[in-house]
Amino acid sequence: MYNNEVRMRPRTPLLLAPILAAGVLLPGARPAAAEPFLDLYAGAAQTESATVKAAQRDCNFGFFFATCGPETKATRDADFDLAATYGIRGGYWFEPVPWLGIAGDLSTFEADSDNVRFQIVPFTILVMARLPLLTTDDIPRGRLQPYV
């Protein structure tokens, strides 16, 4: 016979140590600061011509199993049209390291040709670096800030 009972001992000293350490260290810490930003953008996207290959298999899902038919394949040459693209980007430039920032970018566009259409919605995480140019006492981060 197995005994599945587990006895837990109180761990007050182990839990109390990190709480006390945080109480001692945090009053001297500065609050984190950042320079937030939000961008909306629109433009044009040109997708290069391509040979597009696709495969599809139709499946019927039953209560206990699925049955699938044969795979259907198609190949098409596609000359894509110029498409509108738009998106939103938001992020932070960090105050302690003002040349470093992070952002998230969500955009969309549709690659469309006579034979093929794709709706593309990428989400990208960006790590950015900027260079402050034309700095003054009033604008210490610079009037011009090219970034990568």
Side-chain angles (χ1 to χ4, degrees):
M1 180 165 191
Y2 295 102
N3 184 359
N4 291 331
E5 183 179 330
V6 177
R7 295 184 185 236
M8 300 296 289
R9 290 185 301 183
R11 298 190 179 223
T12 306
L14 290 177
L15 293 174
L16 194 55
I19 293 170
L20 289 175
V24 170
L25 297 174
L26 288 180
R30 291 184 346 182
E35 180 185 336
F37 64 90
L38 182 66
D39 301 331
L40 298 174
Y41 60 89
Q46 180 64 53
T47 304
E48 292 183 15
S49 299
T51 299
V52 179
K53 296 178 182 180
Q56 176 180 336
R57 180 172 288 178
D58 292 324
C59 294
N60 295 318
F61 295 95
F63 190 70
F64 290 107
F65 58 91
T67 58
C68 296
E71 186 175 70
T72 304
K73 295 181 180 181
T75 301
R76 301 279 190 271
D77 290 329
D79 293 321
F80 294 102
D81 301 326
L82 188 65
T85 182
Y86 51 91
I88 185 168
R89 179 179 64 137
Y92 291 99
W93 293 103
F94 296 106
E95 193 69 34
V97 188
W99 55 267
L100 181 65
I102 62 167
D105 186 316
L106 178 67
S107 62
T108 184
F109 78 96
E110 192 171 279
D112 188 20
S113 78
D114 292 336
N115 300 321
V116 179
R117 175 182 287 172
F118 293 104
Q119 176 80 28
I120 294 110
V121 183
F123 178 76
T124 308
I125 301 293
L126 307 168
V127 176
M128 304 175 299
R130 67 178 172 182
L131 178 65
L133 300 175
L134 305 174
T135 59
T136 64
D137 291 338
D138 294 335
I139 307 172
R141 290 189 181 91
R143 291 181 183 266
L144 182 62
Q145 300 175 359
Y147 67 93
V148 177

